[in-house]
Amino acid sequence: METVQVTPHIWMFTFTAGQAYAVRMRDGAGWALVDAGLPGNEQRILDALADLGARPEEVKDIVLTHFHLDHSGSAAALAAATGARVLAGAPDAPVIRGEVPGPPPVLEDWEVPLWDSVQAGLGDVPPAAPCRVDRELADGDVLDWGEEVRVLAVPGHTDGSVALHLTSSGVLFTGDTIANHPHVILGVFNTDRRQALASFHRQAELDVQTACFGHGAPIVGGAGEALREAAAGQPVA
């Protein structure tokens, strides 16, 4: 796992598949995690946080942008180690709790070989342990991380995908609705591509300077313009 500083208050943790983010709250009251990486990465994340000066009990929130394994895999272990509350979009919460299986993506023809390759690469990764969800998030909810964090429901990748907009610092966490690999694109492996495109366009309308993706390098500076340019090339049919 690699740790990359994105802004003075945000760090990215990269895994063999996907990535997660640590956010130092602006009021100095603690830390938040956006996503939790593949199963088995909890100690690496805790060690990385310790290197940043964060004790486990200082992690207050773990927000899961959606239920997929590379985002929720270590959530249960991290919640147990930190005592943090776990937050996720309401439609994805039963999947994260282990109450129901997650719906599979509806693949475009060109996605099939990519999906098969990803699944083969994850062959030895255990399933995510069921994780409690302390707060089910809905569109328009607001979190307080020493600044306003506005929750956007961005369905399409999964039914309960959420994005986070840190309004005063102009940061957007997109989850997997948008990727930057090798450039800004609609995320792959969606349950509803049309809905996912609408969610992409909604995020592109925001006033943001920094965009943090579930896959691909963050954009620091001018992120809103980059998102709008990419969205313009992918109209909602």
Side-chain angles (χ1 to χ4, degrees), residues 88-144:
D92 278 13
V95 183
I96 293 167
R97 292 189 187 107
E99 297 166 356
V100 298
V106 178
L107 300 175
E108 301 287 303
D109 288 344
W110 63 267
E111 291 180 307
V112 172
L114 179 60
W115 172 259
D116 290 343
S117 176
V118 169
Q119 295 305 110
L122 295 175
D124 295 331
V125 177
C131 179
R132 72 175 194 275
V133 177
D134 301 297
R135 179 175 174 181
E136 297 186 8
L137 298 173
D139 190 60
D141 283 351
V142 175
L143 311 178
D144 181 6

Side-chain angles (χ1 to χ4, degrees), residues 45-117:
I45 292 172
L46 292 169
D47 289 345
L49 287 168
D51 289 341
L52 298 175
R55 300 187 303 274
E57 63 271 19
E58 293 180 301
V59 179
K60 305 302 182 185
D61 286 346
I62 301 170
V63 179
L64 303 178
T65 60
H66 60 293
F67 73 78
H68 285 160
L69 182 71
D70 54 332
H71 294 260
S72 67
S74 292
L78 285 167
T82 63
R85 64 175 182 168
V86 180
L87 306 89
D92 278 13
V95 183
I96 293 167
R97 292 189 187 107
E99 297 166 356
V100 298
V106 178
L107 300 175
E108 301 287 303
D109 288 344
W110 63 267
E111 291 180 307
V112 172
L114 179 60
W115 172 259
D116 290 343
S117 176

Side-chain angles (χ1 to χ4, degrees), residues 220-233:
V220 182
E225 291 83 351
L227 295 180
R228 284 186 284 277
E229 181 179 353

Side-chain angles (χ1 to χ4, degrees), residues 139-165:
D139 190 60
D141 283 351
V142 175
L143 311 178
D144 181 6
W145 291 353
E147 66 174 310
E148 179 184 76
V149 180
R150 188 162 294 276
V151 176
L152 289 82
V154 288
H157 185 64
T158 66
D159 292 346
S161 288
V162 294
L164 302 177
H165 183 203

